[in-house]
Amino acid sequence: MPRRTDIKKIMICGSGPIVIGQACEFDYSGTQACKALKEEGYQIVLLNSNPATIMTDPGFADRTYVEPMTPEVAEQIIAREKPDVLLPTLGGQTALNLAVALAKSGALKRHGVELIGAKLEAIEMAEDRLLFKQAMKRVGVEMPKSGYATSWEEASAIADDIGFPVIIRPSFTMGGEGGGVAYNREEYEPMARRALTLSPTHTILCEESIIGWKEYELEVMRDKNDNVVIICSIENFDPMGVHTGDSITVAPAQTLTDKEYQVMRDAAVRIIREIGVDTGGSNIQFGTDPRTGRLVVIEMNPRVSRSSALASKATGFPIAKIAARLAVGYTLEEIPNDITGKTVASFEPALDYVVVKWPRFAFEKFPGSDDGLTSQMKSVGEAMSIAPTFKQAFEKAWRSRELDKPPTVDKPKEELLELLKRPTADRYEVLFEAIRKGASIEEINASSNIDPWYLRQFEELVHAGSAIEPGHERVFRAVDTCAAEFEAATPYFYSGYERVGPDGPQHEVERGENPSVIILGSGPNRIGQGIEFDYCCVHAAMTVRESGRDAVIINCNPETVSTDYDISDRLYFEPLTLEDVLAIVEIEKPEGVIVQFGGQTPLKLAAGLAEAGVPLLGTGVDAIDHAEDRERFGDLLDRAGIACPPYGIAKSSDEARLTAERVGFPLLIRPSYVLGGRAMMICYDQQQLEDYLAVEAVSLGLDVPAEAGERDQVLLID
């Protein structure tokens, strides 16, 4: 059936400001929706309060309102623009909650606006814990034992019935906000009261703990004719108890038997049909008991999510774009697959590679903060890798994190095993060190509940030292969504190490006649380097293409618009390290590389690229170093006669103490080449300086012997 012709104008809601649990993946989904629906001839009205997004740029919508995401403002826009329909399923929890508020207040009815993508009943059934529980009972899908509370008294009675530990899940919140695990009544009461307060409907689900169980996700799409496809299966390395956004995940799932997968798949189909989401892009989470195989459903997002963005980039299947077209009446078999150019959206993706996602945390910005991982999300971004084997993908994701300094965990085996009982951001450094110290797979499994299959893979990595086997060479392959059954028409590439023949590696990259320009992205989101740099990279790609050159983007962030396959002429989903970038330069032989739009990450590669003879377009290495190196910048100010606070340079802890004495307290410490104020601190006295040096000296490379590597620099100023 063709698209709906009774719709002329569509209002799309974005996700508002970036917060933990709701980041630039919704700029990606919203931008895709705007583009897809404008191509269909619809007028687009966009509401989003975040000016750093691509979607709020002029041209992506016919009318863009950078205004607060409140029901009052939204109704004013509806009254003025008179849209026919409202599409809220592409803007995260903010958009979904806004749509619910507009529907319940009668605003949509007053202005004759229809909710598309998911009706109010479907949203409420998926988001309201009680209604969801009742729906699961109707379709025969088991859930953990639980009770639904609207007051502390009800919550207390449920805990008496279930027993501790108890997991608390507030209704209509995102990223697990307000949720958590209570191990006793002392922890339970304040947690339950807070969750009741944070839930917009003041309702919470209190359920039996299944901490330690295995966790899986299925990304599911459904059209108005009730056709359902499974886009991607995702397995969490970390067991239940760690929010999926904080877990390292792998796609496709590695440790499910075919029978277990089919049972889970059938359950997912029954769930999405019962809930009634008709725009696709729903994420359903399951838990399985590794001892008994018992399967339970945890929850469902009746909208595109961060996992949807991950699944889109993992498979090449553009979930948000297809979801937008489904929302206006198309069916899955009517929507072409852009990657192959030959199949349609009803073809389920098949992968002949492995994808690993690794979350990025920012605990270093908050000394003393609790780095324990629970059911409430704490990661601020993520990196993704694609490779032919699990071990290669894991190793590639490991180096994509761009940590200042990897954590060191040189402790006895017994202490490491004890640390693994409490998941933290550095748990895999701990795990690998435990293997080096002789811990067995059985011991690590008992402490961490991580599946033994993964532990055997990690053990092989430790003993081999690398996932790359002797004699193997790097080969670039195309993401084709169908395990090479059809040739990929869209240039989206990843690299892996394979045994090659006498003619050398046979890359799947096909260059055209146009010269190319490489644009380096910003890598995983973190505090200080986020969506604004993706905005810059997308505009750089658009400008390069307008100039008649091929725009080539390198990035490893699955949330971004820049890693959408139609933004550039060629997309390489690779880590932003000098080695990985130079490998792509060798294939592309570009006119030059642009480093100035991706934030601090590309800037740190500039000197290495220049030394390798790679032309840098735009700001050069010397100009970058003048701005970033505190000593050179200070000299520049002195030569130019520009006034600045008294300052001094230190390259070791002892120099820092002497310089501080000369400059005087209070003083501000600024390292060179840092991101978003990383490791900057105001010290008011000597003791604060000593505390700073005790924490930061190692991570900044101070007090390192000269032969061990070049030291970073610290600038001290008033």
Side-chain angles (χ1 to χ4, degrees):
M1 294 178 66
R3 66 178 179 83
R4 289 177 58 174
T5 56
D6 59 326
I7 298 172
K8 305 298 181 188
K9 186 182 287 190
I10 301 172
M11 181 170 172
I12 295 176
C13 296
S15 63
I18 300 297
V19 294
I20 289 177
Q22 187 166 277
C24 64
E25 66 270 16
F26 295 109
D27 186 34
Y28 160 69
S29 58
T31 299
Q32 276 203 338
C34 288
K35 288 164 60 178
L37 296 176
K38 281 197 76 174
E39 287 171 7
E40 295 292 337
Y42 295 110
Q43 295 180 54
I44 305 299
V45 176
L46 174 68
L47 168 61
N48 195 15
S49 59
N50 189 338
T53 58
I54 304 294
M55 69 163 73
T56 52
D57 220 35
F60 283 94
D62 296 283
R63 293 289 186 95
T64 300
Y65 289 84
V66 182
E67 294 288 339
M69 306 284 295
T70 65
E72 296 76 20
V73 170
E75 185 170 4
Q76 290 174 18
I77 295 169
I78 288 171
R80 179 177 179 179
E81 292 291 341
K82 298 179 173 54
D84 300 298
V85 295
L86 174 66
L87 178 58
T89 52
L90 301 163
Q93 199 68 44
T94 296
L96 213 59
N97 289 352
L98 179 60
V100 169
L102 289 168
K104 287 192 167 183
S105 70
L108 297 183
K109 189 174 182 180
R110 280 195 296 275
H111 298 282
V113 177
E114 178 189 349
L115 208 54
I116 62 170
K119 304 301 183 189
L120 177 63
E121 297 76 16
I123 295 171
E124 291 192 308
M125 201 184 305
E127 293 281 318
D128 186 291
R129 302 294 181 180
L130 178 59
L131 295 178
F132 186 67
K133 182 179 178 181
Q134 293 168 344
M136 295 306 96
K137 188 174 182 180
R138 288 195 297 272
V139 295
V141 178
E142 188 180 355
M143 293 188 70
K145 290 187 295 184
S146 63
Y148 182 79
T150 58
S151 68
W152 160 243
E153 290 73 24
E154 291 175 351
S156 179
I158 294 167
D160 290 337
D161 180 53
I162 293 175
F164 290 100
V166 175
I167 295 178
I168 298 172
R169 300 182 186 277
S171 296
F172 290 94
T173 65
M174 62 187 173
E177 184 183 14
V181 184
Y183 291 89
N184 52 56
R185 189 162 292 278
E186 289 71 30
E187 295 177 348
Y188 183 61
E189 180 169 358
M191 195 179 291
R193 290 186 183 278
R194 180 172 181 269
L196 285 164
T197 302
L198 289 174
S199 168
T201 56
H202 305 293
T203 53
I204 61 174
L205 185 73
C206 308
E207 68 182 20
E208 78 172 291
S209 170
I210 55 173
I211 290 175
W213 288 27
K214 295 166 71 172
E215 184 171 5
Y216 299 92
E217 303 170 62
L218 293 183
E219 198 66 34
V220 190
M221 300 197 82
R222 173 180 178 267
D223 66 21
K224 65 179 183 180
N225 287 350
D226 212 21
N227 299 307
V228 179
V229 291
I230 309 296
I231 306 305
C232 190
S233 65
I234 301 172
E235 180 171 356
N236 291 245
F237 292 6
D238 298 298
M240 290 295 305
V242 175
H243 190 281
T244 185
D246 288 348
S247 180
I248 300 172
T249 63
V250 60
Q254 302 291 297
T255 68
L256 276 176
T257 66
D258 182 63
K259 182 178 179 181
E260 288 173 323
Y261 173 68
Q262 294 303 329
V263 170
M264 191 177 293
R265 174 195 172 91
D266 290 346
V269 171
R270 295 203 304 274
I271 290 168
I272 196 169
R273 283 176 171 163
E274 177 65 23
I275 299 298
V277 178
D278 53 17
T279 188
S282 293
N283 174 263
I284 306 175
Q285 297 168 24
F286 295 92
T288 63
D289 187 336
R291 294 158 298 183
T292 66
R294 178 187 169 202
L295 174 73
V296 298
V297 64
I298 307 302
E299 63 181 357
M300 173 190 186
N301 288 315
R303 55 174 171 80
V304 298
S305 63
R306 180 171 294 190
S307 293
S308 305
L310 175 67
S312 294
K313 304 303 171 66
T315 62
F317 189 101
I319 290 173
K321 184 183 293 184
I322 291 170
R325 288 196 163 105
L326 292 177
V328 295
Y330 284 107
T331 58
L332 287 163
E333 70 268 17
E334 294 174 323
I335 302 172
N337 184 317
D338 296 341
I339 287 277
T340 64
K342 298 174 182 175
T343 61
V344 292
S346 55
F347 276 59
E348 293 187 348
L351 309 188
D352 55 0
Y353 49 81
V354 180
V355 176
V356 171
K357 174 215 79 178
W358 202 308
R360 182 66 159 78
F361 299 92
F363 293 118
E364 74 277 0
K365 291 280 181 75
F366 307 101
S369 60
D370 178 16
D371 67 348
L373 303 182
T374 66
S375 60
Q376 184 165 337
M377 188 171 164
K378 295 182 178 180
S379 66
V380 295
E382 59 192 24
M384 188 188 96
S385 69
I386 311 175
T389 67
F390 169 76
K391 284 186 287 190
Q392 286 190 34
F394 182 85
E395 201 170 61
K396 190 188 282 191
W398 181 291
R399 70 175 184 267
S400 297
R401 298 177 297 166
E402 299 179 40
L403 300 184
D404 295 339
K405 298 283 181 180
T408 54
V409 285
D410 188 13
K411 299 178 186 296
K413 183 185 84 170
E414 290 70 24
E415 194 172 335
L416 293 167
L417 290 172
E418 191 63 31
L419 288 172
L420 285 173
K421 293 179 180 178
R422 176 180 179 268
T424 56
D426 63 352
R427 61 208 180 284
Y428 286 90
E429 281 82 5
V430 173
L431 189 155
F432 272 61
E433 185 63 20
I435 293 173
R436 293 187 194 100
K437 292 286 171 62
S440 68
I441 287 175
E442 292 74 20
E443 288 175 315
I444 297 173
N445 173 255
S447 291
S448 67
N449 288 309
I450 295 172
D451 190 275
W453 186 86
Y454 292 112
L455 299 180
R456 284 192 290 273
Q457 300 289 308
F458 300 152
E459 192 176 58
E460 291 173 10
L461 272 175
V462 169
H463 295 323
S466 171
I468 303 168
E469 297 180 29
H472 283 206
E473 294 183 44
R474 190 193 294 256
V475 180
F476 284 92
R477 300 293 184 203
V479 172
D480 58 20
T481 84
C482 57
E485 186 177 350
F486 298 94
E487 186 178 354
T490 299
Y492 173 16
F493 305 107
Y494 68 95
S495 73
Y497 284 84
E498 305 174 14
R499 183 172 283 109
V500 300
D503 296 329
Q506 302 299 307
H507 304 294
E508 295 180 357
V509 178
E510 293 185 8
R511 286 286 318 274
E513 296 298 318
N514 294 337
S516 66
V517 171
I518 291 177
I519 300 155
L520 299 187
S522 59
N525 282 9
R526 65 218 89 153
I527 294 175
Q529 185 165 297
I531 193 173
E532 64 280 1
F533 295 109
D534 193 53
Y535 176 92
C536 297
C537 289
V538 169
H539 273 276
M542 292 164 63
T543 303
V544 167
R545 298 179 86 173
E546 288 168 4
S547 75
R549 297 169 174 83
D550 284 354
V552 176
I553 282 183
I554 306 174
N555 203 358
C556 59
N557 187 339
E559 303 174 40
T560 56
V561 178
S562 67
T563 51
D564 202 1
Y565 55 76
D566 61 357
I567 292 297
S568 56
D569 293 283
R570 285 179 293 285
L571 166 66
Y572 291 85
F573 214 104
E574 293 289 292
L576 288 154
T577 70
L578 185 62
E579 178 187 350
D580 292 288
V581 171
L582 287 175
I584 297 167
V585 167
E586 187 178 340
I587 295 288
E588 284 290 334
K589 296 180 172 52
E591 281 189 349
V593 175
I594 301 176
V595 300
Q596 66 199 60
F597 296 123
Q600 200 72 41
T601 294
L603 292 185
K604 289 183 177 180
L605 302 180
L609 290 170
E611 288 171 12
V614 179
L616 296 184
L617 305 181
T619 307
V621 173
D622 191 58
I624 293 170
D625 196 56
H626 257 105
E628 292 286 335
D629 184 291
R630 303 296 182 183
E631 187 170 23
R632 292 191 71 191
F633 187 70
D635 291 343
L636 182 150
L637 294 178
D638 291 342
R639 291 195 308 273
I642 297 173
C644 65
Y647 71 90
I649 301 297
K651 298 183 180 180
S652 69
S653 292
D654 287 339
E655 283 184 25
R657 293 182 184 98
L658 291 172
T659 308
E661 229 176 90
R662 178 168 56 81
V663 173
F665 293 98
L667 52 84
L668 174 64
I669 305 179
R670 293 177 185 264
S672 298
Y673 282 92
V674 298
L675 168 68
R678 163 77 180 97
M680 293 188 189
M681 182 177 175
I682 299 174
C683 295
Y684 291 91
D685 54 38
Q686 188 68 34
Q687 185 56 53
Q688 288 191 335
L689 175 62
E690 295 299 331
D691 293 342
Y692 173 90
L693 294 172
V695 172
E696 300 292 356
V698 173
S699 67
L700 292 175
L702 302 175
D703 307 327
V704 175
E707 62 272 14
E710 187 177 343
R711 295 167 177 155
D712 289 328
Q713 301 167 355
V714 175
L715 172 65
L716 307 176
I717 65 172
D718 268 349

